[in-house]
Amino acid sequence: MNTIFRKSMLSVAGLAFAGGVFAGPIAAHANPADAKPVAVAVQSAAPKPQGDQSHIDLNGEQTANAKAIIAATKKAGLPERAAVISIATSLQESKLENLGHLGDANDHDSLGLFQQRPSSGWGTPEQITDPEYSTTAFLKGLRQVDGWQDMPLTDAAQTVQVSAYPDAYAQWEQQATDLVGQYWNS
């Protein structure tokens, strides 16, 4: 009796599987007018900036550096969101100025657009003060952050930069978004 019951159950399971295999293609050709609506969550392309926003007027050098960050991001094959995070980070770290050694005003040996440190393995002073190199180095760090595309900008930037002021990046998100919107396709 146990064997008969087991065979019956296997037969029922086999029929259920076969019905699913054949019903799938049939359902694909069903009349869409008969279909019931399904709720779908839609995520916006870019998160809304967090907190109070800062803005500075850019000179020619700063604008050229923003464009260099965008070009390096595109060359790396990353989306606009990566450029927004990169520009916001540079706005916080250097106001988009490619800083050399500042003497006593320098934060350790931090240099360039992202205030990267040769002593921390970011590269040589010459490399770090090259906008394409420093952006590529920042983006390499960003790629290593799981879920960076969906996290708040300040969290993504902080994970790469490890700043003493982790929330400071958020204030530049709107200006960075505007700059990317203005120069991404130019």
Side-chain angles (χ1 to χ4, degrees):
M1 175 93 168
N2 209 2
T3 303
I4 295 172
F5 179 75
R6 193 167 3 130
K7 286 183 180 180
S8 297
M9 291 307 294
L10 288 174
S11 296
V12 169
L15 287 173
F17 173 77
V21 168
F22 289 109
I26 293 169
H29 298 292
N31 184 356
D34 297 335
K36 292 187 167 106
V38 176
V40 177
V42 177
Q43 183 178 7
S44 65
K48 188 174 181 176
Q50 294 180 326
D52 293 336
Q53 295 294 295
S54 295
H55 179 89
I56 59 170
D57 292 328
L58 303 182
N59 63 30
E61 176 194 355
Q62 292 165 307
T63 300
N65 287 330
K67 289 177 179 181
I69 290 171
I70 291 169
T73 303
K74 290 168 89 172
K75 187 174 180 180
L78 290 171
E80 292 177 50
R81 181 72 178 153
V84 170
I85 295 168
S86 299
I87 289 174
T89 301
S90 181
L91 279 163
Q92 174 58 32
E93 296 293 345
S94 70
K95 303 298 183 272
L96 281 169
E97 294 176 4
N98 197 4
L99 301 175
H101 186 66
L102 302 175
D104 291 339
N106 217 32
D107 178 23
H108 306 287
D109 59 341
S110 300
L111 303 169
L113 295 172
F114 297 90
Q115 290 294 283
Q116 296 160 330
R117 298 177 61 192
S119 64
S120 295
W122 285 99
T124 67
E126 294 77 24
Q127 290 172 321
I128 291 171
T129 54
D130 175 80
E132 182 179 352
Y133 177 90
S134 63
T135 301
T136 302
F138 176 82
L139 292 171
K140 181 180 177 185
L142 185 64
R143 283 182 179 192
Q144 294 174 4
V145 177
D146 287 336
W148 67 266
Q149 302 93 331
D150 300 318
M151 66 177 50
L153 180 145
T154 197
D155 294 343
Q158 172 62 10
T159 304
V160 177
Q161 294 293 106
V162 192
S163 169
Y165 305 98
D167 298 324
Y169 301 107
Q171 68 183 314
W172 301 105
E173 187 164 4
Q174 187 61 59
Q175 186 168 11
T177 300
D178 293 345
L179 287 165
V180 171
Q182 183 175 359
Y183 296 117
W184 184 263
N185 292 318
S186 61

